[in-house]
Amino acid sequence: GENVEQHPSTLSVQEGDSAVIKCTYSDSASNYFPWYKQELGKGPQLIIDIRSNVGEKKDQRIAVTLNKTAKHFSLHITETQPEDSAVYFCAARALGSYKLIFGSGTRLLVRP
Amino acid sequence: EAQVTQNPRYLITVTGKKLTVTCSQNMNHEYMSWYRQDPGLGLRQIYYSMNVEVTDKGDVPEGYKVSRKEKRNFPLILESPSPNQTSLYFCASSLETALGDLDTQYFGPGTRLTVL
């Protein structure tokens, strides 16, 4: 079955710097890759997603890139702000599957 | 307001005492799912449901039951809870698109369960 690995487990950056979180997946049939942000005491919330027919997607300060050949995808946050501090999860799902497989999470701390 | 609600938010119980965690969504979503979140393991899927009376096992179904009698509700049942089921539980729902794929998953606020 699908396996998703996420790195790093913790990431500390200075406010204004960029942050990059990377995930690799094992199932070549996976075609949907969402990223979730989880703030303390809340459920995960989708911040951006990408499908396998697209190599990159941007939404303001957030971007996701996908390399299907290497089976990895990354989240890029530019001009980080303290409110970006949270736990971020990547996930993968194959076409036609109802199972969303999550990475183990990255705790991002943005220092003021 | 479109949302997924869970109750209770916090629960402390003892080994073997049956409990139910309720989940309800008001978005008319076909798909609903339960996850547990443990440190260093991310979210792992317990059970999911594609529609009323249609459920299937996720990756960690042992010790859990679910039912889907109504579209909006998807309760999680622990018949005989054990300490290894102490965890943070999330319910999620999603719309099924016309192409048979799933749209964005919306998560509830979570239920923190402690089994003593």
Side-chain angles (χ1 to χ4, degrees):
Chain A
E2 174 68 282
N3 182 52
V4 177
E5 294 191 359
Q6 183 172 345
H7 299 280
S9 57
T10 60
L11 179 60
S12 180
V13 300
Q14 194 70 37
E15 181 177 359
D17 288 350
S18 295
V20 181
I21 303 170
K22 298 181 179 180
C23 288
T24 60
Y25 62 98
S26 60
D27 188 352
S28 56
S30 290
N31 74 328
Y32 175 65
F33 307 94
W35 284 89
Y36 286 85
K37 176 183 181 182
Q38 185 179 23
E39 297 176 332
L40 198 61
K42 296 184 179 180
Q45 185 173 16
L46 180 77
I47 54 172
I48 195 167
D49 57 11
I50 192 168
R51 296 187 186 271
S52 60
N53 57 345
V54 175
E56 182 176 359
K57 185 176 178 180
K58 289 186 72 173
D59 183 2
Q60 299 181 3
R61 297 186 297 109
I62 295 173
V64 56
T65 58
L66 171 64
N67 183 327
K68 283 220 75 180
T69 304
K71 293 190 210 170
H72 65 71
F73 55 112
S74 300
L75 178 71
H76 305 254
I77 305 174
T78 58
E79 301 172 25
T80 54
Q81 301 166 2
E83 50 265 38
D84 294 329
S85 295
V87 178
Y88 291 82
F89 291 98
C90 64
R93 188 182 72 224
L95 179 64
S97 171
Y98 292 101
K99 290 187 175 185
L100 192 60
I101 307 299
F102 283 82
S104 54
T106 296
R107 185 173 298 278
L108 173 64
L109 174 64
V110 179
R111 306 186 305 273
Chain B
E1 180 191 355
Q3 59 182 351
V4 179
T5 56
Q6 294 178 227
N7 282 292
R9 294 290 312 278
Y10 302 90
L11 179 60
I12 301 175
T13 189
V14 296
T15 299
K17 186 176 181 183
K18 181 180 178 179
L19 66 93
T20 299
V21 183
T22 64
C23 173
S24 183
Q25 50 92 5
N26 62 1
M27 296 169 279
N28 202 35
H29 286 170
E30 293 88 3
Y31 177 88
M32 298 185 74
S33 182
W34 276 103
Y35 297 87
R36 60 178 288 173
Q37 183 178 8
D38 302 290
L41 297 177
L43 289 96
R44 294 179 294 167
Q45 192 172 42
I46 302 170
Y47 269 95
Y48 61 95
S49 169
M50 292 75 76
N51 215 322
V52 174
E53 302 292 1
V54 183
T55 63
D56 205 350
K57 296 177 181 178
D59 293 318
V60 288
E62 295 78 19
Y64 304 95
K65 284 176 57 177
V66 292
S67 69
R68 188 90 181 273
K69 293 183 169 51
E70 305 166 282
K71 197 171 186 178
R72 64 182 293 130
N73 296 324
F74 190 44
L76 180 69
I77 303 154
L78 285 72
E79 296 267 2
S80 183
S82 62
N84 64 11
Q85 292 178 298
T86 293
S87 188
L88 180 58
Y89 290 86
F90 289 100
C91 180
S93 74
S94 178
L95 195 64
E96 188 165 5
T97 69
L99 297 175
D101 203 356
L102 290 179
D103 206 347
T104 303
Q105 276 201 45
Y106 294 88
F107 283 81
T111 295
R112 186 166 292 281
L113 172 66
T114 301
V115 183
L116 302 174

